[in-house]
Amino acid sequence: MSPAPLPLLLFTQAEVGGCALFRVVSVEVAVCPGRGRLWLDASRGHVFTPVWQRHAQHLAALGRAHYALPWEETDLRVSPRGKALTLDGRSASLPLFVAWVALLSGRPLPSPFLGTGVALEEHGERLAPAPREFLQGKLGVAQTYVRQVFPQAGRVAVYVPEGSGFDAKGLTALDVRPVPTLTRAVSEVLGLEPRAGAAAVTKPGAA
């Protein structure tokens, strides 16, 4: 029996009229019996750029390398909510990876689960430090979200790349927790450690 799909928040940034606009995109992440394929819901006008698709596949490869879970017998699905959304960046690395491991391991995600971070393919699972102006905008959106949707939650954990620039002053609804890698994020959020001797994942054709 497949576990229930997980709702997931992705924090994004776009340039609109020369100004940075930060927002939340809601997606649903699910797994089902299969052969290790990645399914992306392109209905309702959704677009997944080739860069985004390659990166999602890279995250799945990292999961297979680090956790003894049924990756090869399970298909991964991502379905955005709303209409006509374009997913083209990699800042969903941390939340997507943690959510997939949670589904396959049967471990619950905290509610709400907040996180953002880019894992660059050439560096495997390491999270790239986020520039201050980008992360500060995303944290501002996360703060507003928590205040509006979870007003009684107190300070909610939000996971960000270690070494990022941000000012926690004024983020009264958030507990900002830097993590260096995707597997460290899984450890912090789910309490699950990677298997011993996990192999590194490199780009195709790399030595």
Side-chain angles (χ1 to χ4, degrees):
M1 188 179 217
S2 299
L6 289 176
L8 201 61
L9 298 177
L10 309 181
F11 295 94
T12 67
Q13 181 266 341
E15 292 290 331
V16 178
C19 297
L21 173 67
F22 297 91
R23 59 176 293 204
V24 174
V25 171
S26 180
V27 302
E28 192 173 76
V29 181
V31 297
C32 61
R35 298 178 301 194
R37 298 164 297 189
L38 175 64
W39 294 91
L40 305 173
D41 181 4
S43 67
R44 301 188 298 279
H46 300 315
V47 175
F48 301 84
T49 66
V51 169
W52 200 94
Q53 293 181 50
R54 286 195 300 270
H55 190 62
Q57 291 166 348
H58 175 67
L59 294 179
L62 283 171
R64 288 192 294 272
H66 288 285
Y67 300 96
L69 296 170
W71 299 92
E72 302 299 340
E73 297 82 42
T74 310
D75 287 348
L76 309 174
R77 296 178 178 270
V78 179
S79 180
R81 297 181 178 179
K83 295 181 179 179
L85 293 174
T86 297
L87 297 182
D88 62 355
R90 296 180 292 187
S91 58
S93 300
L94 190 156
L96 268 180
F97 188 79
V98 174
W100 277 335
V101 174
L103 283 168
L104 290 173
S105 65
R107 300 192 178 213
L109 276 180
S111 180
F113 168 52
L114 308 178
T116 184
V118 175
L120 301 177
E121 290 189 25
E122 59 266 35
H123 298 297
E125 63 150 336
R126 184 175 67 81
L127 293 167
R132 180 188 179 104
E133 61 271 23
F134 293 128
L135 186 55
Q136 201 70 35
K138 292 179 180 181
L139 291 175
V141 171
Q143 162 110 338
T144 300
Y145 171 81
V146 170
R147 282 181 166 175
Q148 291 177 348
V149 182
F150 296 91
Q152 307 302 321
R155 294 173 71 91
V156 172
V158 55
Y159 297 88
V160 304
E162 190 174 85
S164 300
F166 65 91
D167 183 0
K169 206 165 29 174
L171 299 175
T172 55
L174 301 179
D175 175 15
V176 184
R177 300 186 183 182
V179 288
T181 63
L182 291 174
T183 54
R184 185 60 187 169
V186 168
S187 174
E188 293 282 340
V189 178
L190 304 178
L192 180 66
E193 298 296 333
R195 63 188 178 193
V201 175
T202 58
K203 295 175 68 174

